[in-house]
Amino acid sequence: DIQMTQSPSSLSASVGDRVTITCRASQDINNYLAWFQQKPGKAPTSLIYAASSLQSGVPSKFSGSGSGTDFTLTINSLQPEDLATYFCQQYNSYPPTFGQGTRLEIK
Amino acid sequence: QVHLVQSGAEVKKPGASVKVSCKASGYTFTGHYIHWVRQAPGQGLEWMGWINPDSGDTNSAQKFQGRVTMTRDTSISTAYMELRRLRSDDTAFYYCARDRGDYRLYWYFDLWGRGTQVTISA
């Protein structure tokens, strides 16, 4: 199975900051990478697919980039409601696998 | 509105079975595969399998083969996941998620249910 490694595992940032989360695949996954947001006590919601395509209804403050093995999720103008854990997921190879998550805290 | 509504929390004893339902609304149920993903306490997400609501075909992760059964009832737009021979490490939230693909697998989950908490306790 492809291993997905996220970094950092947690981070704390201030309102208005720009934050970047990294996801690394153990082998080439082309651009078959998705990002999800999971707020405390809630189900995951989809943010980005195909590494950089924004899911319908997701604000443009979220963006994704990368290809191959290295990917990033960027959140601009951080707001209190962005408090959540963010997961990446590869869907290039069977079975689909997820990163361990990055917990984002707001200072 | 497009929704996946899951059944309520369950508490089961080791060795028992649990069946979780996932009712779709707001879209053509047979047009999108349904995946099942679980999340154990404090852990990441783990893909369990998919069902094609149109054909009824299923596929499960090797880890769950022989213990999981996925079915659907197209008359009520509902998918089901049954897990048998439950163990304590099956304690988790179980999510259904819709595949983005139109009558095909795309493997991107664009819509999630709110999850069903399953607790295994003697």
Side-chain angles (χ1 to χ4, degrees):
Chain A
D1 296 1
I2 294 178
Q3 305 302 312
M4 305 301 292
T5 303
Q6 287 182 234
S7 60
S9 56
S10 66
L11 77 154
S12 181
S14 300
V15 171
D17 282 356
R18 174 182 180 181
V19 301
T20 298
I21 299 169
T22 297
C23 181
R24 174 165 288 176
S26 60
Q27 57 188 271
D28 189 340
I29 59 168
N30 297 293
N31 70 333
Y32 294 105
L33 190 283
W35 290 98
F36 301 95
Q37 176 192 63
Q38 186 174 29
K39 295 185 177 181
K42 304 295 185 183
T45 58
S46 310
L47 294 175
I48 286 168
Y49 64 98
S52 61
S53 296
L54 206 61
Q55 171 69 27
S56 176
V58 174
S60 60
K61 61 184 290 181
F62 293 94
S63 63
S65 64
S67 184
T69 60
D70 294 307
F71 301 86
T72 58
L73 171 70
T74 299
I75 309 171
N76 288 306
S77 187
L78 200 65
Q79 297 299 311
E81 60 266 26
D82 298 325
L83 166 73
T85 298
Y86 294 84
F87 292 92
C88 61
Q89 177 228 336
Q90 70 81 20
Y91 53 102
N92 181 75
S93 299
Y94 180 92
T97 49
F98 297 84
Q100 81 279 13
T102 294
R103 181 174 296 182
L104 175 59
E105 298 177 346
I106 312 298
K107 288 180 184 175
Chain B
Q1 281 198 340
V2 182
H3 287 300
L4 293 173
V5 178
Q6 296 187 226
S7 48
E10 302 263 14
V11 179
K12 297 290 183 181
K13 294 189 182 300
S17 299
V18 68
K19 191 170 186 178
V20 178
S21 67
C22 172
K23 182 174 176 59
S25 62
Y27 73 95
T28 302
F29 175 64
T30 52
H32 296 266
Y33 286 58
I34 293 288
H35 298 264
W36 291 91
V37 178
R38 77 177 186 179
Q39 186 174 34
Q43 302 299 309
L45 297 161
E46 180 177 34
W47 177 79
M48 299 180 66
W50 56 254
I51 182 167
N52 177 349
D54 193 28
S55 66
D57 290 343
T58 64
N59 177 260
S60 59
Q62 186 171 13
K63 174 177 181 177
F64 300 102
Q65 286 177 8
R67 277 211 307 146
V68 69
T69 300
M70 289 167 285
T71 56
R72 93 295 191 211
D73 184 338
T74 56
S75 69
I76 55 172
S77 300
T78 300
Y80 302 91
M81 187 282 298
E82 181 180 33
L83 190 61
R84 300 180 294 280
R85 301 192 300 277
L86 291 167
R87 309 184 293 252
S88 58
D89 61 357
D90 290 319
T91 293
F93 271 90
Y94 289 78
Y95 297 99
C96 60
R98 186 184 76 168
D99 193 292
R100 178 178 184 264
D102 215 7
Y103 292 95
R104 67 177 181 91
L105 274 170
Y106 189 91
W107 290 102
Y108 165 59
F109 313 146
D110 68 348
L111 176 68
W112 294 67
R114 296 191 66 172
T116 296
Q117 185 173 21
V118 176
T119 303
I120 314 304
S121 174

